[in-house]
Amino acid sequence: MPVVLIKARRFEDDRGWFTETYNQRAFHDLGVDVSFCQDNHSLSRPVGTLRGLHFQTPPHAQAKLVRCIRGSIWDVAVDVRKGSPTYGEWTAATLSAENGHQLFVPAGFLHGFVTLEPDTEVTYKVSDFYAPECDGGIAWNDPDLALPWPLPEGGPSLSPKDGKLPRLAEFDSPFPYDGRPLTPVSAS
């Protein structure tokens, strides 16, 4: 399954706008054929709050459908599927309350984001329940990934857990390659 940037159509009038944020049939047509079972919601107060790079391993691997409902984020997905020709490569998009875009991140990809505005709220659907024994991550600043995080001058605000994650070189991926290499998402 690919990483997909979803640009929902908004119907606007003088009162505001309406949009569908999830439609199983429409998402299936985009190649997103996943059943979601849990919704998560985060608030990040300071600009530069970095959450990631996270994953959940099988048998509780999670696909995610991420959207920003207040403020904005730089959202990134990194391919960590064993045997993938794009292993360690990434794609990213800016998600904001203003643009209404969503990023679908399949299982087998690291996921992370950094906030670009204060008091940013992010919601995301996941395809499996949280399983602490399967929870993991890779260092946000791994030089082998060289992610160009758009950080404030003082650097990121991190959780203690995210500040201690290992490098990708230390990770033995349990995620199988599905035959579809990572393709960059189109921001336009």
Side-chain angles (χ1 to χ4, degrees):
M1 220 173 279
V3 174
V4 180
L5 182 63
I6 298 157
K7 300 174 184 174
R9 187 170 166 206
R10 287 184 172 172
F11 301 92
E12 295 191 46
D13 62 24
D14 59 344
R15 299 168 298 157
W17 52 261
F18 169 84
T19 190
E20 282 185 353
T21 60
Y22 179 73
N23 177 305
Q24 185 181 35
R25 186 177 20 217
F27 277 54
H28 174 78
D29 291 346
L30 292 171
V32 178
D33 200 14
V34 171
S35 295
F36 296 106
C37 64
Q38 180 177 312
D39 285 358
N40 300 326
H41 186 159
S42 70
L43 167 67
S44 299
R45 295 202 187 283
V47 172
T49 298
L50 196 150
R51 298 179 186 269
L53 297 162
H54 301 147
F55 60 83
Q56 197 163 281
T57 58
H60 298 289
Q62 291 180 328
K64 298 176 180 176
L65 178 61
V66 184
R67 72 186 180 112
C68 183
I69 61 170
R70 182 166 71 167
S72 61
I73 62 172
W74 187 74
D75 201 31
V76 64
V78 180
D79 187 352
V80 291
R81 297 167 299 160
K82 189 175 273 188
S84 171
T86 53
Y87 186 88
E89 293 181 23
W90 58 271
T91 189
T94 298
L95 308 181
S96 70
E98 185 176 325
N99 70 23
H101 296 171
Q102 299 179 81
L103 192 66
F104 173 73
V105 180
F109 288 79
L110 306 175
H111 174 254
F113 66 84
V114 64
T115 59
L116 305 175
E117 298 179 45
D119 298 320
T120 292
E121 291 186 63
V122 174
T123 64
Y124 55 101
K125 296 181 166 306
V126 293
S127 63
D128 204 329
F129 298 104
Y130 175 65
E133 70 279 9
C134 297
D135 186 39
I138 298 298
W140 67 275
N141 59 350
D142 186 329
D144 293 333
L145 297 177
L147 292 167
W149 296 101
L151 297 172
E153 194 172 302
S157 175
L158 294 170
S159 71
K161 175 183 139 187
D162 285 353
K164 298 180 204 169
L165 293 173
R167 290 184 56 183
L168 185 61
E170 301 167 39
F171 179 58
D172 182 20
S173 178
F175 299 106
Y177 176 57
D178 63 2
R180 298 174 75 166
L182 173 67
T183 55
V185 295
S186 171
S188 57

